[in-house]
Amino acid sequence: MAVSPVLIIKLVNDSAISVRARLYDDFAEHEIILNSVLTYWWANDMPPAIKFLELFDSVIKRTINEIMPHKNLNLKYDVKANEVLDKASIIEVNLISVSADGVGFKIENGSFTLSGIRKVEPDFESKEYSTTYDYIIETPDIILKKYKEMKK
């Protein structure tokens, strides 16, 4: 029986998202500290929902690359929000599938909700929004070479 790599996503006390990848006894873990990044995005008038999803993708990519250097990462997840992502104050993420160079990851705790990520006006009216992201993130050759060297 083959052992599948595992990707574990955890919301830690509404203040951080932990991303951990494990293969056999090898693991890598990174956290997204929400207070820090939200403060930065608010101060620079950036859409927090969109910026969070970009950061989430890159943290998954980096975490998996540390245990399994790969060229292509396939990510698929659903996102639901209370408004279009530019204006959303609540987002729900449901990770559906992750694979690195064709090797699928078992996903644990792949669903979480972030609320209060954007201040809303008193007259804000919620409009349900949902979309599915299904795409490939490629690792540049020079970075892939560094990850492979780290594994040796």
Side-chain angles (χ1 to χ4, degrees), residues 97-118:
S97 66
V98 177
S99 65
D101 288 342
V103 177
F105 277 71
K106 178 182 174 195
I107 300 169
E108 291 184 10
N109 302 325
S111 295
F112 58 89
T113 301
L114 300 178
S115 58
I117 60 172
R118 183 175 179 273

PDB file of all heavy atoms in Angstrom, residues 97-118:
ATOM      1  N   SER A  97      -8.839  19.676  -3.952  1.00  0.00           N
ATOM      2  CA  SER A  97      -7.749  18.770  -4.328  1.00  0.00           C
ATOM      3  C   SER A  97      -6.440  19.524  -4.488  1.00  0.00           C
ATOM      4  O   SER A  97      -6.421  20.698  -4.852  1.00  0.00           O
ATOM      5  CB  SER A  97      -8.080  18.019  -5.619  1.00  0.00           C
ATOM      6  OG  SER A  97      -8.149  18.906  -6.710  1.00  0.00           O
ATOM      7  N   VAL A  98      -5.357  18.814  -4.187  1.00  0.00           N
ATOM      8  CA  VAL A  98      -4.002  19.336  -4.313  1.00  0.00           C
ATOM      9  C   VAL A  98      -3.134  18.208  -4.842  1.00  0.00           C
ATOM     10  O   VAL A  98      -3.170  17.091  -4.312  1.00  0.00           O
ATOM     11  CB  VAL A  98      -3.442  19.814  -2.948  1.00  0.00           C
ATOM     12  CG1 VAL A  98      -2.004  20.278  -3.077  1.00  0.00           C
ATOM     13  CG2 VAL A  98      -4.315  20.895  -2.347  1.00  0.00           C
ATOM     14  N   SER A  99      -2.356  18.493  -5.887  1.00  0.00           N
ATOM     15  CA  SER A  99      -1.393  17.499  -6.357  1.00  0.00           C
ATOM     16  C   SER A  99      -0.130  18.207  -6.841  1.00  0.00           C
ATOM     17  O   SER A  99      -0.190  19.302  -7.383  1.00  0.00           O
ATOM     18  CB  SER A  99      -1.980  16.616  -7.468  1.00  0.00           C
ATOM     19  OG  SER A  99      -2.257  17.369  -8.612  1.00  0.00           O
ATOM     20  N   ALA A 100       0.998  17.577  -6.598  1.00  0.00           N
ATOM     21  CA  ALA A 100       2.301  18.106  -6.998  1.00  0.00           C
ATOM     22  C   ALA A 100       2.907  17.143  -8.007  1.00  0.00           C
ATOM     23  O   ALA A 100       3.158  15.980  -7.677  1.00  0.00           O
ATOM     24  CB  ALA A 100       3.202  18.257  -5.779  1.00  0.00           C
ATOM     25  N   ASP A 101       3.095  17.619  -9.234  1.00  0.00           N
ATOM     26  CA  ASP A 101       3.602  16.789 -10.331  1.00  0.00           C
ATOM     27  C   ASP A 101       2.847  15.465 -10.420  1.00  0.00           C
ATOM     28  O   ASP A 101       3.432  14.396 -10.581  1.00  0.00           O
ATOM     29  CB  ASP A 101       5.106  16.546 -10.194  1.00  0.00           C
ATOM     30  CG  ASP A 101       5.927  17.802 -10.490  1.00  0.00           C
ATOM     31  OD1 ASP A 101       5.384  18.740 -11.111  1.00  0.00           O
ATOM     32  OD2 ASP A 101       7.099  17.843 -10.093  1.00  0.00           O
ATOM     33  N   GLY A 102       1.536  15.539 -10.287  1.00  0.00           N
ATOM     34  CA  GLY A 102       0.680  14.361 -10.433  1.00  0.00           C
ATOM     35  C   GLY A 102       0.495  13.530  -9.179  1.00  0.00           C
ATOM     36  O   GLY A 102      -0.286  12.589  -9.183  1.00  0.00           O
ATOM     37  N   VAL A 103       1.190  13.843  -8.099  1.00  0.00           N
ATOM     38  CA  VAL A 103       1.046  13.104  -6.842  1.00  0.00           C
ATOM     39  C   VAL A 103      -0.005  13.813  -5.988  1.00  0.00           C
ATOM     40  O   VAL A 103       0.189  14.959  -5.571  1.00  0.00           O
ATOM     41  CB  VAL A 103       2.384  13.012  -6.071  1.00  0.00           C
ATOM     42  CG1 VAL A 103       2.188  12.315  -4.733  1.00  0.00           C
ATOM     43  CG2 VAL A 103       3.438  12.317  -6.912  1.00  0.00           C
ATOM     44  N   GLY A 104      -1.117  13.135  -5.742  1.00  0.00           N
ATOM     45  CA  GLY A 104      -2.209  13.732  -4.988  1.00  0.00           C
ATOM     46  C   GLY A 104      -1.951  13.734  -3.494  1.00  0.00           C
ATOM     47  O   GLY A 104      -1.325  12.820  -2.954  1.00  0.00           O
ATOM     48  N   PHE A 105      -2.439  14.771  -2.836  1.00  0.00           N
ATOM     49  CA  PHE A 105      -2.321  14.904  -1.390  1.00  0.00           C
ATOM     50  C   PHE A 105      -3.660  14.604  -0.740  1.00  0.00           C
ATOM     51  O   PHE A 105      -4.703  15.030  -1.236  1.00  0.00           O
ATOM     52  CB  PHE A 105      -1.910  16.330  -0.997  1.00  0.00           C
ATOM     53  CG  PHE A 105      -0.440  16.575  -1.083  1.00  0.00           C
ATOM     54  CD1 PHE A 105       0.194  16.654  -2.309  1.00  0.00           C
ATOM     55  CD2 PHE A 105       0.321  16.729   0.067  1.00  0.00           C
ATOM     56  CE1 PHE A 105       1.557  16.873  -2.394  1.00  0.00           C
ATOM     57  CE2 PHE A 105       1.680  16.948  -0.008  1.00  0.00           C
ATOM     58  CZ  PHE A 105       2.299  17.014  -1.240  1.00  0.00           C
ATOM     59  N   LYS A 106      -3.605  13.890   0.370  1.00  0.00           N
ATOM     60  CA  LYS A 106      -4.791  13.733   1.209  1.00  0.00           C
ATOM     61  C   LYS A 106      -4.940  15.063   1.957  1.00  0.00           C
ATOM     62  O   LYS A 106      -3.964  15.602   2.468  1.00  0.00           O
ATOM     63  CB  LYS A 106      -4.590  12.582   2.200  1.00  0.00           C
ATOM     64  CG  LYS A 106      -5.762  12.399   3.131  1.00  0.00           C
ATOM     65  CD  LYS A 106      -5.484  11.272   4.114  1.00  0.00           C
ATOM     66  CE  LYS A 106      -6.624  11.229   5.119  1.00  0.00           C
ATOM     67  NZ  LYS A 106      -6.297  10.443   6.277  1.00  0.00           N
ATOM     68  N   ILE A 107      -6.157  15.594   2.010  1.00  0.00           N
ATOM     69  CA  ILE A 107      -6.389  16.886   2.646  1.00  0.00           C
ATOM     70  C   ILE A 107      -7.128  16.679   3.962  1.00  0.00           C
ATOM     71  O   ILE A 107      -8.157  16.018   4.001  1.00  0.00           O
ATOM     72  CB  ILE A 107      -7.210  17.808   1.719  1.00  0.00           C
ATOM     73  CG1 ILE A 107      -6.466  18.039   0.409  1.00  0.00           C
ATOM     74  CG2 ILE A 107      -7.514  19.132   2.420  1.00  0.00           C
ATOM     75  CD1 ILE A 107      -7.299  18.697  -0.659  1.00  0.00           C
ATOM     76  N   GLU A 108      -6.564  17.252   5.023  1.00  0.00           N
ATOM     77  CA  GLU A 108      -7.222  17.223   6.335  1.00  0.00           C
ATOM     78  C   GLU A 108      -7.578  18.652   6.724  1.00  0.00           C
ATOM     79  O   GLU A 108      -6.747  19.554   6.592  1.00  0.00           O
ATOM     80  CB  GLU A 108      -6.302  16.614   7.391  1.00  0.00           C
ATOM     81  CG  GLU A 108      -6.058  15.142   7.197  1.00  0.00           C
ATOM     82  CD  GLU A 108      -5.209  14.524   8.306  1.00  0.00           C
ATOM     83  OE1 GLU A 108      -4.963  15.193   9.334  1.00  0.00           O
ATOM     84  OE2 GLU A 108      -4.789  13.375   8.122  1.00  0.00           O
ATOM     85  N   ASN A 109      -8.791  18.844   7.211  1.00  0.00           N
ATOM     86  CA  ASN A 109      -9.273  20.162   7.651  1.00  0.00           C
ATOM     87  C   ASN A 109      -9.156  21.207   6.546  1.00  0.00           C
ATOM     88  O   ASN A 109      -8.706  22.319   6.791  1.00  0.00           O
ATOM     89  CB  ASN A 109      -8.530  20.651   8.897  1.00  0.00           C
ATOM     90  CG  ASN A 109      -8.647  19.700  10.047  1.00  0.00           C
ATOM     91  OD1 ASN A 109      -9.673  19.059  10.222  1.00  0.00           O
ATOM     92  ND2 ASN A 109      -7.589  19.571  10.823  1.00  0.00           N
ATOM     93  N   GLY A 110      -9.581  20.872   5.362  1.00  0.00           N
ATOM     94  CA  GLY A 110      -9.427  21.769   4.218  1.00  0.00           C
ATOM     95  C   GLY A 110     -10.456  22.870   4.117  1.00  0.00           C
ATOM     96  O   GLY A 110     -10.437  23.633   3.165  1.00  0.00           O
ATOM     97  N   SER A 111     -11.353  22.980   5.088  1.00  0.00           N
ATOM     98  CA  SER A 111     -12.379  24.026   5.044  1.00  0.00           C
ATOM     99  C   SER A 111     -12.240  24.957   6.237  1.00  0.00           C
ATOM    100  O   SER A 111     -12.030  24.508   7.358  1.00  0.00           O
ATOM    101  CB  SER A 111     -13.777  23.403   5.074  1.00  0.00           C
ATOM    102  OG  SER A 111     -14.003  22.651   3.926  1.00  0.00           O
ATOM    103  N   PHE A 112     -12.364  26.250   5.977  1.00  0.00           N
ATOM    104  CA  PHE A 112     -12.339  27.237   7.057  1.00  0.00           C
ATOM    105  C   PHE A 112     -13.039  28.506   6.591  1.00  0.00           C
ATOM    106  O   PHE A 112     -13.227  28.722   5.398  1.00  0.00           O
ATOM    107  CB  PHE A 112     -10.905  27.536   7.519  1.00  0.00           C
ATOM    108  CG  PHE A 112     -10.013  28.049   6.427  1.00  0.00           C
ATOM    109  CD1 PHE A 112      -9.929  29.406   6.164  1.00  0.00           C
ATOM    110  CD2 PHE A 112      -9.272  27.175   5.652  1.00  0.00           C
ATOM    111  CE1 PHE A 112      -9.114  29.882   5.153  1.00  0.00           C
ATOM    112  CE2 PHE A 112      -8.457  27.638   4.633  1.00  0.00           C
ATOM    113  CZ  PHE A 112      -8.375  29.000   4.383  1.00  0.00           C
ATOM    114  N   THR A 113     -13.408  29.325   7.559  1.00  0.00           N
ATOM    115  CA  THR A 113     -14.077  30.592   7.275  1.00  0.00           C
ATOM    116  C   THR A 113     -13.328  31.717   7.965  1.00  0.00           C
ATOM    117  O   THR A 113     -12.951  31.601   9.133  1.00  0.00           O
ATOM    118  CB  THR A 113     -15.543  30.562   7.783  1.00  0.00           C
ATOM    119  OG1 THR A 113     -16.232  29.496   7.137  1.00  0.00           O
ATOM    120  CG2 THR A 113     -16.252  31.874   7.491  1.00  0.00           C
ATOM    121  N   LEU A 114     -13.116  32.794   7.233  1.00  0.00           N
ATOM    122  CA  LEU A 114     -12.517  33.997   7.800  1.00  0.00           C
ATOM    123  C   LEU A 114     -13.583  35.088   7.780  1.00  0.00           C
ATOM    124  O   LEU A 114     -14.192  35.348   6.739  1.00  0.00           O
ATOM    125  CB  LEU A 114     -11.321  34.462   6.962  1.00  0.00           C
ATOM    126  CG  LEU A 114     -10.153  33.502   6.815  1.00  0.00           C
ATOM    127  CD1 LEU A 114      -9.089  34.111   5.919  1.00  0.00           C
ATOM    128  CD2 LEU A 114      -9.573  33.154   8.167  1.00  0.00           C
ATOM    129  N   SER A 115     -13.816  35.715   8.919  1.00  0.00           N
ATOM    130  CA  SER A 115     -14.806  36.782   8.966  1.00  0.00           C
ATOM    131  C   SER A 115     -14.157  38.053   9.501  1.00  0.00           C
ATOM    132  O   SER A 115     -13.131  38.005  10.178  1.00  0.00           O
ATOM    133  CB  SER A 115     -15.999  36.375   9.825  1.00  0.00           C
ATOM    134  OG  SER A 115     -15.596  36.052  11.119  1.00  0.00           O
ATOM    135  N   GLY A 116     -14.756  39.178   9.159  1.00  0.00           N
ATOM    136  CA  GLY A 116     -14.232  40.459   9.611  1.00  0.00           C
ATOM    137  C   GLY A 116     -12.940  40.852   8.936  1.00  0.00           C
ATOM    138  O   GLY A 116     -12.161  41.627   9.484  1.00  0.00           O
ATOM    139  N   ILE A 117     -12.705  40.353   7.731  1.00  0.00           N
ATOM    140  CA  ILE A 117     -11.437  40.655   7.059  1.00  0.00           C
ATOM    141  C   ILE A 117     -11.463  42.023   6.375  1.00  0.00           C
ATOM    142  O   ILE A 117     -10.433  42.508   5.942  1.00  0.00           O
ATOM    143  CB  ILE A 117     -11.041  39.565   6.043  1.00  0.00           C
ATOM    144  CG1 ILE A 117     -12.091  39.407   4.948  1.00  0.00           C
ATOM    145  CG2 ILE A 117     -10.770  38.254   6.751  1.00  0.00           C
ATOM    146  CD1 ILE A 117     -11.657  38.487   3.817  1.00  0.00           C
ATOM    147  N   ARG A 118     -12.646  42.595   6.299  1.00  0.00           N
ATOM    148  CA  ARG A 118     -12.783  43.929   5.707  1.00  0.00           C
ATOM    149  C   ARG A 118     -13.880  44.668   6.457  1.00  0.00           C
ATOM    150  O   ARG A 118     -14.901  44.087   6.798  1.00  0.00           O
ATOM    151  CB  ARG A 118     -13.148  43.799   4.233  1.00  0.00           C
ATOM    152  CG  ARG A 118     -13.244  45.103   3.496  1.00  0.00           C
ATOM    153  CD  ARG A 118     -13.485  44.837   2.000  1.00  0.00           C
ATOM    154  NE  ARG A 118     -13.590  46.069   1.288  1.00  0.00           N
ATOM    155  CZ  ARG A 118     -14.726  46.753   1.142  1.00  0.00           C
ATOM    156  NH1 ARG A 118     -15.842  46.292   1.647  1.00  0.00           N
ATOM    157  NH2 ARG A 118     -14.742  47.887   0.469  1.00  0.00           N
TER     158      ARG A 118
END
